[in-house]
Amino acid sequence: PFSMPPGLLPEGGRHLPQGAEPQYGQMVAHAAAVQLAAQSFGQASPSVPLRFEVVLERQPGVPVGLDVVIAQGGAAPTGLVVERVAEGGLVDEWNRRQEPPLCVQPGDQIIQVNDVAAWQPPALRASEFTRDAPRVRFVVQRKVAGGGAAPPAAPFRVGGPMLQQQQQQLLQQQQLQQQRQQQAQAQAAPMAAQAAHSAPGSPPASGPVLTVAGCTNETVANIVRGTFRPFSQNHGRNVFKKDGGSVNGIDVLMYFWDDRDGASFCGWWFGPKVGGDQVWAYSSERSEVPPASGWRVPYDGPLDPTLQVHGGSAPTAVPGMPQMQQAQQGQQPPQQQQSADPMASFFNSRHQEQPQQRQQGQQPQQQMMMQQQHRQEEQQRMWQQQQEAKRQEEQRQWQQQQMMKLKQQEEERRQREEAMRKQQELEMQRKREQDERMRLEQLSAMTVRKVIGKLRTAEEGSFQEAQRELEQVMQVELHKTGMQQASLRTEAQQAVELARQRIEHQREQRRLAEERQKELERQRLEQEEARKKFLAELEALVVTLEESGAKLKELTAPALASTATLESIAEADAVIRGDVGMGAKAAGKACTDLMIANRSNVEALRMNFETKAGMIALQARIHKALEQVVTASHSVTTAQDRLKRKAVAVERVEKRNAVFAKYAKGGALGRKELPVYARGEFGFEVPGEEVGRILDRLGAAKDSGVTKEMYYQLRVAVGIAKEEEASRQRRREAEERRKKLEDEKAQFVRDLDKVGLDLDDIDPSVAKAEESCTNQASEVDKHNGDEQGDAVAPPQLEEAQRLVDSAREAIAAERKRISALVDSANEELKSFVEAESLKQVAKATSMEKRLDSGLVALRKARSYWSRKTWMDMERIRQEAVKLMKSHVTAKPGPLEEVFKEADKDEDGAISKSEFVAFFQGLADCKIEAAKLEALFGHLAGEAPLAKDAFLRLVAVYHRVVKDSPLTSDLSVASKDSKTLRRLNEGEVVEVYEGPVKDEKELVRVKCRTAKDGLIGWVTVTGNSGTTFLAEGGGEFEVTTEAAVTTKLQADSTPIWDLSKGDKVEVLEWDKADERSGATRMRVAVKGQCISGWVSKTLSGGTQVLRLCL
């Protein structure tokens, strides 16, 4: 159901049958029916706006199709208003499905969208249309002149079609009674308001007229601003109602709520309903009238200082208000009085074009109706006078009762106050005495604690004096401290002890401080000696470093001159690499190593102001000397590299001159020499015309040629000519390669087209295989559910499979041809061949999909025949089980005897021939030998049938209902009997022999436990009647959906789907499926001829089968 805010339900909804929940379409129709019925009896129609609900189911790609605007004030509707209904939208589709009154049209108000109600901001309602939700629901309200329900565009149907004759009769009555009816409404309105607002037993509402202004929240401001008058009472205070009618169909009230629901709910509220869940503002004041300020907007928000409630005129009783309104209504123009009845306007608008002659022919009837109306008015006035007198008498009685109650309450209050005053005086006296006693005790305690505090801070010299003072104060003041004596005595003892310990600690600390001071002085002297020694060593090393650097600079100076030769530079390099250079480097390294090793001394020297300057000077000398050594070494290396580069350049120039001289004739390279030079140096044959162009570009005469000065430009020109010729050659080779590639592409296209033709030849085979598979599936659909007939699969299944395999092989061969063509293409053609082959690959893929579809149908047919064969075998098995159980019942004894009877060769297993012979030897056996052989294969396959599997056909199960021991012998009292283990309640056992009684009259059976396979004897019932085993235990109930499969593995072929509540009978007990981790059992489905494997518990421990109790 679609929730609506309080105050939005049409008032006509109260006329529905008791207990019925009004729907929106019903409420609108019923409200219109109330108006028609009211007018037919000469009563005013209730003010009911047209409201209905619209529910839209969103569709992909289809818009809502509704344009809305937020209107503010004016004569038009305010809030969220429909501006346009777009064609093709969801709203337009809604309108086409509805009757005219329930169609959305421009000008309608949207008062609620989804859960966003009318009192919330319109923008919030509009945003609900854009939410990504599968459904949008909103409530539409339509207002017309006079505040009534909007008249429908067609005759309104309420419980059936309205007759034209009834419409005409109502029209005539309305025309005759229109003006008299308005007067009766004006006279009856004050009395009706008084009767509605002044219930018996409550005083008439009276109080000041209030004006509400301000409020920063525009949405709430539009609702609460205005004039409020006393309306009724609630919790002993007036309820004020806003003048001017409802806002968007909601009344605006200002009321008080006491603390019956908690202190947080007590105060003054703005809301549409007294005590309702919907509110706009709240004040926690508990005054008799609403407070002027201190309002929270919204109710749980911050204080809004702009919202003010001002008192207006003097208190005015509500009964006086209707007379004023009546006087004002009597002065209204006829047009306004006429618009008060919306259904009257509706019928007038529909019949105003009727001929004047019909109205004149109805004058006698109109006069009779007017007389009847006059009598009704007289009766109405008398009734109003009686009601007024009754109301005044009830008010007088109520006032007297209230006065008596007030006097009685005042006397009771005075007596309570006198008793409370006496009690308070006694309490005050006791409190003063107690305070004085406590003050004296605190004073004595403070005196003692003051001395204790003095003792706590006493030094070694004043400790004895402080201790004696404490003993004296304790003798004088301790007995005055009352209950604090014990704590103060303990506190004094602790203070003495702590002071003694503190003095001892101080002595020890002074001794330790003196020892530390001596140790620090010793360390300081040692460090000072170490620093002096370090500075002396460093000074000696620095002198050595400076001498080595000066000598190195002196020896390398000739190599750094501008006239230096390679020999002088080599000598300087030998000096650097020799003893002098290595000695300078060793001296520098010794300085740095010493400083690193004595890092602590270096830091101490820097912190010592006296030696800081000397240390800095030494470091500067070390830096300068090292820089001198490094500079000398670097300068020599730089000079050596410069001379080497110069020698290489000279050598290059000489080589270039030698090449020029080799080819130049007469000191220049002319037209004849240039081709020879290009051939010899570049391996390039210069064309004749290119020789002239080169010489022209260089500005050389063709006869004289290129001189030595222009030789470098000639080399560049010849290189450019060679590259241009190579570029022309590359273009020729590229053109030849392009033609070759085009030929290869054409060949690949022809080969791929041939593959496409071969695939077209395969298409009939694919169609034949597809048709064969589909035919088999169709045959299965015809016979599906048929329990009769042969269970052998038809040979057409294998033929269909052969056709599918043949077509697949042919398609696979063509795919290999396509892959071979793609692989044979070179890198340049591979992408082209791959793109061209896509068409053939798509054709092959389409054929394979068709074959896959056929295989799906073929698997369906195979599954059907497999399931039918399985079900036939189950029917035969159940028939064989009945024969065996009948045979066992006829020959009571251990089940092993039945096995021995079938096992003729006594090899511990039953062969196929023994199996068939055993069953054919049973009485009433009508199973054919061929079916028995098929059943044997169904149970055991090709191997012999084991003893357990054979006896399981007639297995009887019991469940343990009370813990009991499993013993090795029948007799519990036997000395040889041993307890194998204890059976727990809920376990299941398979009965092999019994029941039999032992010497103690215990009923016992020989059984095998389903849990671990132990075989032994257990008691069924004791000699005192206690039950240990109960029949059953082989039947389980399915707790969740599961599949029955053909094999132990959970992923084998499913043959049946089990639903929750299905029953199964155990054929083989718990076995573990290693692949899935589930515990599986072989079961037979009760009520179905189906058996197979199903999970008992899943790998996570989820229980699928539950034992039936």
Side-chain angles (χ1 to χ4, degrees):
F2 189 65
S3 62
M4 292 187 65
L8 292 185
L9 283 176
E11 195 170 333
R14 66 185 182 184
H15 299 286
L16 293 175
Q18 185 176 3
E21 182 68 19
Q23 302 297 323
Y24 286 99
Q26 298 175 357
M27 288 190 286
V28 174
H30 203 73
V34 170
Q35 290 183 332
L36 293 175
Q39 291 185 12
S40 66
F41 288 99
Q43 300 176 3
S45 62
S47 176
V48 183
L50 174 63
R51 298 186 185 92
F52 57 91
E53 178 191 19
V54 178
V55 181
L56 304 177
E57 300 289 343
R58 293 190 185 272
Q59 302 175 14
V62 181
V64 176
L66 188 67
D67 294 344
V68 296
V69 295
I70 301 177
Q72 299 290 343
T78 59
L80 198 62
V81 180
V82 177
E83 184 180 39
R84 184 177 70 91
V85 178
E87 293 185 2
L90 297 176
V91 178
D92 184 45
E93 182 180 350
W94 164 276
N95 287 346
R96 289 196 297 270
R97 295 198 308 265
Q98 305 299 325
E99 293 292 335
L102 302 182
C103 295
V104 182
Q105 61 189 30
D108 289 348
Q109 279 184 289
I110 298 178
I111 60 177
Q112 180 168 347
V113 183
N114 294 336
D115 294 330
V116 181
W119 61 274
Q120 294 176 289
L124 188 58
R125 274 175 274 156
S127 65
E128 287 292 307
F129 285 104
T130 63
R131 282 184 54 193
D132 187 13
R135 175 181 299 175
V136 59
R137 302 196 289 187
F138 57 94
V139 177
V140 175
Q141 174 173 292
R142 186 176 304 146
K143 287 188 176 182
V144 295
F156 215 100
R157 293 178 171 85
V158 181
M162 180 180 289
L163 299 177
Q164 187 67 22
Q165 180 179 0
Q166 294 176 345
Q167 295 180 4
Q168 293 178 357
Q169 182 178 359
L170 291 174
L171 176 63
Q172 293 171 5
Q173 294 177 2
Q174 192 277 335
Q175 291 175 343
L176 291 174
Q177 301 176 5
Q178 180 177 353
Q179 295 188 1
R180 293 183 179 273
Q181 184 180 11
Q182 296 302 323
Q183 297 175 1
Q185 291 175 4
Q187 295 174 359
M191 301 302 296
Q194 178 180 345
H197 297 161
S198 300
S202 63
S206 62
V209 177
L210 305 178
T211 302
V212 179
C215 187
T216 57
N217 189 313
E218 288 297 326
T219 302
V220 177
N222 293 333
I223 297 174
V224 302
R225 287 175 185 167
T227 303
F228 288 71
R229 298 181 183 276
F231 170 69
S232 63
Q233 285 200 347
N234 181 66
H235 293 182
R237 289 171 176 79
N238 281 342
V239 176
F240 296 83
K241 182 177 181 181
K242 182 179 177 181
D243 286 351
S246 59
V247 178
N248 293 333
I250 305 175
D251 292 332
V252 183
L253 304 179
M254 184 164 39
Y255 62 92
F256 177 83
W257 195 265
D258 60 21
D259 57 357
R260 65 184 62 190
D261 295 330
S264 59
F265 293 94
C266 183
W268 286 91
W269 299 82
F270 278 91
K273 179 182 178 182
V274 175
D277 293 333
Q278 178 185 342
V279 291
W280 299 296
Y282 165 68
S283 173
S284 59
E285 291 292 331
R286 305 190 181 189
S287 54
E288 293 294 325
V289 294
S293 60
W295 294 90
R296 294 184 182 272
V297 180
Y299 75 95
D300 56 349
L303 290 174
D304 188 352
T306 63
L307 180 59
Q308 299 289 328
V309 179
H310 304 287
S313 59
T316 305
V318 171
M321 293 174 57
Q323 283 76 5
M324 296 171 62
Q325 296 174 359
Q326 180 177 355
Q328 294 174 0
Q329 291 174 0
Q331 297 174 2
Q332 291 179 355
Q335 292 84 354
Q336 295 181 2
Q337 296 178 3
Q338 182 177 357
S339 64
D341 193 338
M343 293 308 294
S345 301
F346 166 66
F347 283 114
N348 285 337
S349 63
R350 290 182 52 86
H351 297 280
Q352 62 185 356
E353 298 179 357
Q354 291 185 355
Q356 183 69 24
Q357 291 79 4
R358 177 180 296 179
Q359 295 180 4
Q360 294 177 357
Q362 296 174 352
Q363 288 181 0
Q365 185 176 2
Q366 292 176 1
Q367 293 177 0
M368 181 180 64
M369 296 295 292
M370 291 176 62
Q371 293 175 1
Q372 182 179 359
Q373 176 65 22
H374 180 70
R375 290 193 297 271
Q376 292 178 356
E377 291 175 357
E378 291 295 331
Q379 295 174 359
Q380 180 70 17
R381 279 195 293 272
M382 293 177 63
W383 178 83
Q384 292 174 359
Q385 294 174 0
Q386 294 173 0
Q387 292 296 320
E388 177 65 18
K390 181 179 179 181
R391 188 194 64 78
Q392 293 179 358
E393 178 62 22
E394 290 176 350
Q395 181 178 355
R396 186 186 60 79
Q397 294 178 0
W398 181 84
Q399 291 176 350
Q400 291 179 354
Q401 293 174 0
Q402 293 299 315
M403 291 298 294
M404 293 294 293
K405 288 181 181 179
L406 288 174
K407 290 180 180 179
Q408 184 177 359
Q409 292 174 359
E410 180 66 21
E411 179 64 22
E412 292 176 354
R413 183 188 61 79
R414 188 189 62 77
Q415 294 176 359
R416 286 195 302 270
E417 289 179 354
E418 181 65 21
M420 290 176 62
R421 185 185 61 80
K422 294 180 179 179
Q423 181 68 23
Q424 289 175 358
E425 289 179 355
L426 293 175
E427 291 292 335
M428 289 297 293
Q429 179 65 24
R430 284 195 297 269
K431 190 174 186 306
R432 283 193 296 270
E433 295 174 354
Q434 184 178 1
D435 291 345
E436 180 63 19
R437 187 168 55 254
M438 292 181 63
R439 187 184 66 80
L440 295 175
E441 291 178 358
Q442 290 296 332
L443 184 61
S444 299
M446 288 175 60
T447 303
V448 174
R449 285 195 173 95
K450 183 178 180 181
V451 178
I452 292 175
K454 184 177 179 181
L455 179 65
R456 288 195 178 113
T457 58
E459 298 297 332
E460 185 176 359
S462 60
F463 173 71
Q464 297 296 333
E465 183 180 355
Q467 187 175 8
R468 285 194 299 272
E469 184 180 358
L470 177 61
E471 293 174 354
Q472 294 173 2
V473 170
M474 293 285 286
Q475 291 177 359
V476 176
E477 299 291 341
L478 185 61
H479 66 279
K480 301 178 183 179
T481 57
M483 298 178 65
Q484 301 185 49
Q485 291 185 27
S487 61
L488 285 172
R489 184 177 290 107
T490 303
E491 188 175 347
Q493 293 173 356
Q494 292 177 352
V496 171
E497 183 63 27
L498 289 174
R500 189 176 289 112
Q501 293 176 2
R502 179 171 54 80
I503 291 171
E504 291 295 330
H505 180 71
Q506 290 175 354
R507 291 174 182 170
E508 181 66 19
Q509 290 298 316
R510 282 196 299 271
R511 186 186 64 79
L512 294 176
E514 291 174 355
E515 292 179 357
R516 282 196 300 271
Q517 188 65 27
K518 292 179 181 179
E519 180 65 21
L520 290 174
E521 181 64 20
R522 185 186 62 79
Q523 293 177 359
R524 187 187 66 79
L525 294 175
E526 291 178 355
Q527 292 175 359
E528 185 67 21
E529 185 67 23
R531 281 194 291 271
K532 290 179 180 180
K533 182 179 179 181
F534 164 71
L535 285 174
E537 293 178 1
L538 185 61
E539 176 70 23
L541 291 174
V542 170
V543 171
T544 303
L545 176 62
E546 288 175 340
E547 292 176 352
S548 301
K551 186 176 182 180
L552 183 65
K553 181 178 180 180
E554 179 183 357
L555 295 176
T556 57
L560 303 179
S562 60
T563 59
T565 62
L566 283 174
E567 290 77 9
S568 62
I569 293 174
E571 291 176 358
D573 184 62
V575 170
I576 292 173
R577 297 178 184 275
D579 295 339
V580 177
M582 298 303 294
K585 292 179 180 179
K589 185 174 184 301
C591 290
T592 55
D593 290 345
L594 182 62
M595 292 183 68
I596 293 173
N598 295 270
R599 187 185 302 273
S600 60
N601 289 330
V602 173
E603 296 297 329
L605 288 171
R606 288 177 180 174
M607 297 301 294
N608 189 346
F609 179 76
E610 296 177 356
T611 58
K612 182 176 181 181
M615 186 64 196
I616 292 175
L618 283 175
Q619 288 179 339
R621 290 167 60 188
I622 293 171
H623 178 72
K624 183 178 179 181
L626 287 174
E627 185 179 4
Q628 191 175 24
V629 173
V630 173
T631 301
S633 177
H634 180 70
S635 299
V636 171
T637 303
T638 303
Q640 192 175 18
D641 291 342
R642 183 176 66 252
L643 288 178
K644 287 181 179 180
R645 287 195 300 271
K646 183 177 179 180
V648 171
V650 170
E651 183 181 358
R652 189 182 298 113
V653 171
E654 292 176 353
K655 184 177 180 181
R656 187 184 303 164
N657 292 337
V659 172
F660 180 80
K662 178 181 177 182
Y663 294 101
K665 301 297 183 181
L669 291 174
R671 187 176 185 86
K672 293 181 180 180
E673 292 81 13
L674 185 58
V676 177
Y677 166 74
R679 187 183 309 111
E681 296 299 322
F682 290 91
F684 167 56
E685 292 290 340
V686 182
E689 62 276 8
E690 188 63 28
V691 174
R693 283 197 294 271
I694 292 174
L695 294 174
D696 291 341
R697 283 198 296 270
L698 296 177
K702 296 182 180 180
D703 296 332
S704 60
V706 180
T707 62
K708 184 189 294 186
E709 290 76 10
M710 301 180 64
Y711 174 65
Y712 180 76
Q713 289 86 341
L714 176 64
R715 284 179 59 85
V716 174
V718 173
I720 293 173
K722 180 181 179 181
E723 182 60 30
E724 289 177 349
E725 180 62 26
S727 177
R728 287 191 290 270
Q729 180 64 25
R730 285 194 296 271
R731 284 196 295 270
R732 288 192 293 269
E733 292 175 356
E735 181 63 22
E736 293 176 358
R737 187 166 60 254
R738 185 188 63 77
K739 292 180 180 179
K740 183 179 178 181
L741 289 176
E742 291 295 332
D743 295 341
E744 292 178 357
K745 284 182 180 180
Q747 182 61 39
F748 276 119
V749 170
R750 287 191 294 272
D751 293 342
L752 289 172
D753 290 341
K754 186 176 179 182
V755 171
L757 294 175
D758 292 343
L759 287 172
D760 293 338
D761 294 340
I762 298 172
D763 189 79
S765 301
V766 174
K768 185 176 180 181
E770 186 179 15
E771 182 182 5
S772 178
C773 295
T774 305
N775 290 339
Q776 295 303 315
S778 300
E779 290 297 324
V780 167
D781 292 337
K782 292 179 182 178
H783 297 89
N784 198 9
D786 184 10
E787 301 294 336
Q788 305 298 325
D790 194 359
V792 180
Q796 288 82 354
L797 286 177
E798 298 301 328
E799 176 63 19
Q801 184 65 49
R802 187 190 64 77
L803 293 174
V804 171
D805 294 342
S806 176
R808 276 192 180 280
E809 292 175 359
I811 295 172
E814 297 303 321
R815 277 189 177 275
K816 288 182 179 179
R817 288 177 59 190
I818 295 172
S819 299
L821 289 173
V822 173
D823 294 339
S824 65
N826 55 36
E827 293 299 326
E828 294 178 315
L829 292 177
K830 185 173 289 292
S831 60
F832 169 78
V833 176
E834 288 177 348
E836 288 295 322
S837 65
L838 290 178
K839 181 171 66 175
Q840 314 306 336
V841 171
K843 185 182 294 185
T845 303
S846 175
M847 291 181 177
E848 288 173 343
K849 288 183 178 180
R850 290 163 58 190
L851 291 176
D852 290 340
S853 177
L855 280 176
V856 171
L858 189 62
R859 281 196 292 269
K860 177 182 177 182
R862 285 184 180 278
S863 176
Y864 166 77
W865 289 110
S866 176
R867 187 166 59 252
K868 188 172 178 62
T869 302
W870 186 276
M871 294 174 66
D872 286 350
M873 289 297 100
E874 282 301 306
R875 279 194 289 269
I876 298 172
R877 187 189 67 82
Q878 291 180 7
E879 188 175 351
V881 167
K882 291 181 181 179
L883 289 172
M884 281 190 66
K885 288 187 176 181
S886 299
H887 180 67
V888 170
T889 303
K891 295 174 63 178
L895 294 180
E896 285 84 351
E897 298 298 328
V898 179
F899 177 76
K900 292 179 181 179
E901 184 179 353
D903 186 16
K904 298 296 185 181
D905 56 5
E906 298 181 356
D907 59 352
I910 298 176
S911 62
K912 183 186 294 185
S913 58
E914 291 174 340
F915 184 83
V916 174
F918 172 76
F919 277 100
Q920 286 188 336
L922 298 179
D924 299 329
C925 179
K926 299 179 180 179
I927 306 175
E928 300 174 359
K931 291 184 177 181
L932 288 171
E933 292 177 356
L935 176 60
F936 183 85
H938 177 68
L939 295 175
E942 297 299 327
L945 190 62
K947 177 180 178 181
D948 290 344
F950 179 77
L951 295 180
R952 202 175 291 119
L953 296 174
V954 288
V956 177
Y957 297 100
H958 282 59
R959 57 185 174 86
V960 180
V961 296
K962 189 174 182 180
D963 293 358
S964 178
L966 179 70
T967 62
S968 58
D969 294 336
L970 169 64
S971 175
V972 179
S974 174
K975 295 181 180 180
D976 298 331
S977 180
K978 297 180 181 179
T979 301
L980 302 178
R981 73 173 178 87
R982 193 168 189 82
L983 299 180
N984 298 321
E985 182 180 350
E987 284 195 58
V988 177
V989 297
E990 181 181 350
V991 177
Y992 275 8
E993 181 180 345
V996 295
K997 289 185 179 181
D998 65 358
E999 68 277 7
K1000 292 186 177 182
E1001 297 298 319
L1002 298 177
V1003 179
R1004 309 263 288 169
V1005 292
K1006 187 178 183 181
C1007 59
R1008 185 179 74 90
T1009 61
K1011 181 177 181 180
D1012 48 19
L1014 288 177
I1015 299 177
W1017 290 84
V1018 67
T1019 303
V1020 179
T1021 55
N1023 48 21
S1024 60
T1026 304
T1027 302
F1028 295 93
L1029 296 183
E1031 292 187 5
E1035 184 175 320
F1036 283 77
E1037 181 181 359
V1038 181
T1039 61
T1040 183
E1041 294 182 354
V1044 180
T1045 61
T1046 55
K1047 296 181 181 179
L1048 170 64
Q1049 291 74 22
D1051 55 357
S1052 58
T1053 304
I1055 57 175
W1056 190 260
D1057 291 328
L1058 294 173
S1059 301
K1060 183 178 180 180
D1062 288 349
K1063 302 292 180 63
V1064 296
E1065 185 178 351
V1066 179
L1067 300 179
E1068 291 187 40
W1069 285 95
D1070 301 359
K1071 292 185 181 296
D1073 179 12
E1074 296 180 356
R1075 283 190 287 188
S1076 66
T1079 301
R1080 309 266 292 169
M1081 294 195 307
R1082 184 166 171 265
V1083 299
V1085 182
K1086 300 203 71 173
Q1088 303 289 338
C1089 295
I1090 294 173
S1091 66
W1093 291 88
V1094 68
S1095 297
K1096 180 182 179 183
T1097 55
L1098 302 180
S1099 58
T1102 304
Q1103 187 179 24
V1104 180
L1105 300 179
R1106 179 177 58 206
L1107 180 65
C1108 293
L1109 301 179

